Amino acid sequence: QVRLAESGGGLVQPGGSLRLSCTGSGIRLEHNAVGWFRQAPGKEREGVSCIRVVEGRTYYSDSVRGRFTISRDNAKNTVYLQMDSLKSEDTAVYYCAAPSPVCGDNLDPPRWFDKWGQGTQVTVST
């Protein structure tokens, strides 16, 4: 059974940092492109970032580029999302999903994924 599990969310002040983890079981994440998404209350789920298998190329939405970094640790079967310079508008539930069929400049839409984690809440507030 394939499972993805996110962790690392929490409450942080504006300008702070968090690192989210997405750990796979029943699936080797190193063999799959993986995407991170977020969904704020009353809004649609949106793509944040993805990482390819080949060369580990990474892609980001305009809203997070330069502040967020996606990476993977194959030994731990985990994909990370390092979030720096957090803003109140980053507040959302964050999800990882796989496999990302394309993973390019136009992040794959959520409907293309069939494996999702349960999500982790990120709240940026004073």
Side-chain angles (χ1 to χ4, degrees):
Q1 182 179 3
V2 174
R3 291 188 60 191
L4 299 175
E6 303 93 339
S7 61
L11 173 64
V12 64
Q13 293 187 345
S17 298
L18 283 174
R19 188 178 77 161
L20 306 183
S21 300
C22 171
T23 300
S25 58
I27 179 173
R28 292 301 304 175
L29 295 183
E30 65 189 289
H31 298 152
N32 292 271
V34 177
W36 279 98
F37 294 80
R38 67 186 181 186
Q39 189 166 18
K43 295 188 177 180
E44 293 187 354
R45 191 167 297 188
E46 65 171 349
V48 173
S49 180
C50 65
I51 183 167
R52 283 188 179 179
V53 174
V54 179
E55 301 179 342
R57 291 195 67 176
T58 59
Y59 299 87
Y60 302 92
S61 67
D62 290 342
S63 60
V64 308
R65 188 176 295 111
R67 300 187 297 120
F68 291 11
T69 304
I70 190 172
S71 63
R72 61 166 89 234
D73 184 332
N74 293 336
K76 295 183 178 180
N77 202 27
T78 298
V79 172
Y80 300 102
L81 186 68
Q82 176 68 42
M83 306 187 297
D84 299 318
S85 301
L86 283 161
K87 306 175 181 180
S88 58
E89 52 262 44
D90 295 318
T91 295
V93 178
Y94 283 71
Y95 301 88
C96 64
S100 182
V102 177
C103 183
D105 288 327
N106 296 318
L107 299 176
D108 297 338
R111 66 180 184 277
W112 288 8
F113 294 77
D114 59 2
K115 302 295 188 293
W116 291 86
Q118 82 287 351
T120 185
Q121 175 70 47
V122 171
T123 303
V124 185
S125 176
T126 55

